[in-house]
């Protein structure tokens, strides 16, 4: 199994936390769940960070069965729709950036 993470680093605009969460759930999450081969899609909202640490108000994690499945998902037209929905929500509610990370930590044979 492969997990691809999108780390949302930055701050939700003042007074917009609940609206941001609702927009993520209604406008972003369904688009990422439509990715080919996505076996699990999860969103975690962070409540607080240590002083001096980068703020990570949200983590999006998607599990795939293999690296080939990740490549196929990223090449899919669905990606453009998910990206557009994400960028629209970020422009409305968020000051920051997204950092993507792919981990192979779960890919091993016993």
């Amino acid at each position: 199994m492969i997990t691809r993470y999108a780390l949302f680093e930055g701050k939700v605009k003042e007074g917009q936390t609940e609206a941001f969460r609702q927009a993520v759930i209604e406008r972003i999450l369904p688009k990422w769940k439509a990715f080919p081969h996505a076996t699990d899609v999860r969103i975690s909202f962070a409540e607080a960070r240590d002083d001096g640490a980068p703020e990570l108000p949200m983590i999006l994690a998607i599990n795939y069965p293999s690296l080939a499945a990740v490549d196929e998902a990223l090449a899919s037209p669905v990606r453009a729709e998910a990206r557009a929905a994400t960028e629209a929500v970020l422009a409305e509610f968020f000051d920051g950036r997204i950092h993507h990370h792919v981990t192979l930590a779960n890919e091993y044979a016993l």
Side-chain angles (χ1 to χ4, degrees):
M1 180 175 65
I2 306 296
T3 304
R4 182 175 172 87
Y5 293 98
L7 309 176
F8 290 68
E9 300 175 334
K11 293 184 178 183
V12 178
K13 294 176 183 175
E14 187 73 30
Q16 297 293 308
T17 301
E18 287 308 313
F20 174 69
R21 288 179 187 215
Q22 200 63 31
V24 168
I25 291 166
E26 293 175 0
R27 294 164 43 193
I28 293 178
L29 191 57
K31 299 292 186 183
W32 293 101
K33 284 186 173 186
F35 263 44
H37 307 294
T39 59
D40 185 31
V41 180
R42 299 173 312 285
I43 289 184
S44 303
F45 293 100
E47 297 300 329
R49 299 291 292 169
D50 294 333
D51 287 341
E55 294 198 32
L56 297 172
M58 188 173 81
I59 300 171
L60 169 68
I62 305 175
N63 289 346
Y64 297 96
S66 67
L67 277 176
V70 173
D71 291 340
E72 186 177 329
L74 294 178
S76 167
V78 173
R79 183 181 190 197
E81 294 175 23
R83 192 171 183 155
T86 301
E87 289 173 355
V89 170
L90 294 183
E92 188 175 346
F93 298 106
F94 191 75
D95 291 318
R97 68 186 189 102
I98 305 173
H99 171 71
H100 290 98
H101 177 68
V102 177
T103 179
L104 307 181
N106 296 326
E107 185 180 71
Y108 54 86
L110 296 176

